[in-house]
Every structure is written in C-alpha cells, then in structure tokens.
Amino acid sequence: MAFKNIIMEKKDGIGTIKINRPQALNALNKDTILELSKAVDELGNDDKIKVAILTGKGKAFIAGADIKQMSTMTPLEAKEFAEMGHGLLMKIENSRLPFIAAINGYALGGGCEVLMACDICIAAKSAKLGQPEINLGIHPGFGGTQRLPRLVGRMKAKELLLTGRNIDADEACSIGLVNSTVEDEKLMETVNKIAGRISEKSKVQTDFIKSLVNKGVDIDLNSACSLEISYFASGFSTNDQKEGMKAFLEKRKPVFKGK
Ligand code: DAK
C-alpha cells in the first residue's frame, strides 16, 4: 500500500521503515501511528522478510507524540490515542520479526517509547533520548513508565521520568537503553550489517528467541525455563535444526529455509 508519512523498503530479507515527517521531526500523529501499524503487519506477513529496521528521516528518529494534535484532546480522545500507541508498540514487540531501531537523532517521549519496544537499538553519537513529557504537564502514554524501569532499573527510570532530562547517546548506552553508539555517518551501515547477519539465521529460531525473552522476563524463572524447554523441543521438529547441525558436522555454512 502507498504511505504518506513513512517510507518502506524491502531488500535481501530486510524490511526498512523510515518515518517521513521531517518537518515535524517525525512526531507521531494518529495517521503516522496507523501507517506504522500497517507497515509492521505487512512486513510480518511477508514470508521473504526476516528482520526489520525502524529509523527516521532528517534530524529526528521520533521527537515524540504529536504535541499539536494532543494539545486539544479530550480525556476520551487521549485514551483512544494512548491505546493506538500501545497497540503499535505491542505489535512491534509481538512481531515474529526482530526489530532494530536505528536512532538517527531525537528519540524523545513517544520516540523513546518506540525504541524500547524494539529488540536491538543502535544510536548515532549525536542522538538525544529521553522522556520529557513531564515538561508538558503529562506523563508518558505509550508505555514509558513501564518499559523504561524494566530496561534501566527503577531508580534511573524515575530520575529520567521525573526530571524530563534528555540524555545523549553515550549515556543512553551506559544505562542499557541502547545497545551501542556509532558515528553518525556509520549508523545505517552498522544497522544493515546487524540486520544482514540476523537475516541469515533460522527465522523459526529468531522468532522463538524474541518470544522467549519477551515472555520470560515478565514471569517467574521456573515457568520461564519450562517455556524454554517446550520451545527447545519443538525446534527439533524443524528442518533448520537438522540443517544447522548437519552443516556443522560437514564443516560448511548452513542454509536455513525457515522451516
Ligand atoms: N510534536 C509536534 N511537533 C513537533 C514535535 C512534537 N513532539 N517536536 C518537534 N515538532 C515540530 C516543531 O513544532 C517545529 O514545527 P514548526 O514550528 O516548524 O511548524 C518542527 O517540529 C521543528 O522543531 P523545532 O523548531 O523545535 O526544532 P529544534 O531543533 O529547535 O528543537 C527539539 C528540537 C526536539 C528539542 C524540540 O522540537 C522539542 O523539544 N520537541 C518536543 C520534544 C518533546 O517534548 N517530546 C515529547 C512529546 S510528548 C499520551 C499519549 C502519548 C504521550 C503521552 C500521553 N496519552 C494519550 C495519555 C506521549 C507524549 C509525548 O511524546
């Protein structure tokens, strides 16, 4: 389908979604959230796609939810808007595809919340991240009060949420909010390299791993380990397991078919 606020590309098993509202620093209005939702569905339903990249055009990844649009919302409209945002982030989190966030600039408010729903996050050195909602007299509405403490711990999360202080990419990396930082001009090359590497793996297993980690961290260790045992066993019904082990024994590179 044709999109207005995003650009989607598919190449070599990698689906790239670029948010394309640079005039508003890629702020998330309702239309953009809907388009992102459709794009996430489309990539997830495309058998050829193994991994997705999310990035922004211009100097922002996403500078937050659209403040102009939010400024006149009634409580009911705010609820619907928050539900839309949560729906999108759950879709990314529950997608079979690993999502890599390429943070090319500002990732504030809703933008920081989007990156936290992704699986791997690489930031350009010049990126700025944070949850500045408190400066607008609100608190995060797309999961920031929940995912941030799970990622960086309660104390650090509360400091960032309560002060609304933005941090640079290196600090974000030091607290575990992003995986690594790279020089700005190396961002897409680095992210594409990681995506390329993942795209060669068994997509059954990339799906299992993502799902096990996401489900496992929210339940007790015993139940989580039982879940791992059952996924592990079902992996042995796949051709990819047979191919992976056969290739090892034959001293060659495996060719995974995702079955
Ligand atoms: N929304 C709408 N427009 C935005 C925007 C945003 N979040 N961020 C920037 N823009 C627009 C600016 O208004 C400006 O538009 P024009 O004036 O040219 O028409 C254009 O983008 C360029 O921005 P600046 O001129 O400000 O650019 P600078 O380089 O000077 O500054 C900046 C960049 C990122 C420091 C600054 O733009 C800024 O502080 N932006 C706002 C950052 C922010 O506060 N982000 C958090 C947004 S709040 C909820 C649902 C969701 C949420 C909360 C509750 N419920 C329903 C309960 C989520 C909330 C948020 O994300």
Side-chain angles (χ1 to χ4, degrees), residues 6 22 30 44 68 78 82 94 106 113 123 136 143 165 183 194 228 233-234:
I6 63 172
K30 290 183 201 167
K68 278 182 205 141
N94 294 328
Y106 295 109
E113 290 168 306
L136 299 167
R165 176 172 77 88
E183 295 304 327
I194 298 170
E228 189 189 70
S234 68

Side-chain angles (χ1 to χ4, degrees), residues 181-196:
T181 64
V182 290
E183 295 304 327
D184 292 11
E185 60 281 5
K186 292 266 183 219
L187 179 65
M188 289 319 289
E189 181 190 325
T190 306
V191 168
N192 273 303
K193 216 178 266 178
I194 298 170

Side-chain angles (χ1 to χ4, degrees), residues 23-25 27 59 63-68 70 78-79 81-82 106 108-110 113 132-133 136 138-142:
Q23 71 284 5
L25 302 189
K59 66 177 185 178
D66 192 310
I67 300 170
K68 278 182 205 141
M70 279 193 300
K79 180 169 179 279
F81 186 58
Y106 295 109
L108 304 176
E113 290 168 306
E133 288 88 342
L136 299 167
I138 58 172
H139 62 68
F142 295 163

Side-chain angles (χ1 to χ4, degrees), residues 190-241:
T190 306
V191 168
N192 273 303
K193 216 178 266 178
I194 298 170
R197 199 177 166 137
I198 294 173
S199 74
E200 291 171 1
K201 312 295 183 211
S202 160
K203 66 179 184 188
V204 178
Q205 289 302 329
T206 56
D207 183 12
F208 279 8
I209 288 167
K210 172 169 173 167
S211 184
L212 277 168
V213 174
N214 284 347
K215 286 189 181 129
V217 291
D218 286 330
I219 58 179
D220 68 283
L221 187 61
N222 267 330
S223 310
C225 288
S226 297
L227 204 59
E228 189 189 70
I229 291 168
S230 68
Y231 276 52
F232 188 72
S234 68
F236 280 71
S237 67
T238 64
N239 288 336
D240 284 351
Q241 174 266 329

Side-chain angles (χ1 to χ4, degrees), residues 3-211:
F3 295 112
K4 206 173 104 227
N5 299 302
I6 63 172
I7 300 165
M8 186 162 72
E9 279 171 11
K10 299 178 189 179
K11 198 174 168 228
D12 301 331
I14 302 170
T16 301
I17 301 171
K18 186 181 269 190
I19 299 148
N20 185 28
R21 283 188 83 213
Q23 71 284 5
L25 302 189
N26 299 326
L28 295 177
N29 59 8
K30 290 183 201 167
D31 286 349
T32 308
I33 294 175
L34 284 177
E35 288 191 14
L36 282 169
S37 272
K38 286 189 179 142
V40 171
D41 281 342
E42 187 179 324
L43 291 181
N45 291 331
D46 187 332
D47 217 33
K48 294 200 194 81
I49 299 298
K50 309 256 191 67
V51 54
I53 295 172
L54 194 53
T55 192
K57 186 168 178 186
K59 66 177 185 178
F61 173 67
I62 299 168
D66 192 310
I67 300 170
K68 278 182 205 141
Q69 202 169 59
M70 279 193 300
S71 63
T72 56
M73 281 180 186
T74 64
L76 188 60
E77 287 166 342
K79 180 169 179 279
E80 283 166 3
F81 186 58
E83 283 167 354
M84 270 176 91
H86 275 278
L88 169 65
L89 301 203
M90 284 297 182
K91 206 170 257 198
I92 292 172
E93 214 162 68
N94 294 328
S95 168
R96 68 170 179 87
L97 299 173
F99 268 77
I100 308 176
I103 309 301
N104 54 301
Y106 295 109
L108 304 176
C112 191
E113 290 168 306
V114 169
L115 82 82
M116 290 191 282
C118 292
D119 303 295
I120 294 174
C121 180
I122 311 297
K125 287 269 182 206
S126 68
K128 296 270 183 294
L129 301 87
Q131 299 285 168
E133 288 88 342
I134 195 153
N135 302 326
L136 299 167
I138 58 172
H139 62 68
F142 295 163
T145 61
Q146 304 310 310
R147 286 192 180 88
L148 192 59
R150 281 168 169 76
L151 267 178
V152 306
R154 281 192 236 185
M155 283 277 191
K156 186 47 87 176
K158 281 188 264 189
E159 180 213 323
L160 295 176
L161 293 163
L162 292 170
T163 63
R165 176 172 77 88
N166 295 335
I167 58 177
D168 64 23
D170 284 326
E171 185 174 354
C173 192
S174 75
I175 63 172
L177 185 55
V178 306
N179 293 75
S180 58
T181 64
V182 290
E183 295 304 327
D184 292 11
E185 60 281 5
K186 292 266 183 219
L187 179 65
M188 289 319 289
E189 181 190 325
T190 306
V191 168
N192 273 303
K193 216 178 266 178
I194 298 170
R197 199 177 166 137
I198 294 173
S199 74
E200 291 171 1
K201 312 295 183 211
S202 160
K203 66 179 184 188
V204 178
Q205 289 302 329
T206 56
D207 183 12
F208 279 8
I209 288 167
K210 172 169 173 167
S211 184

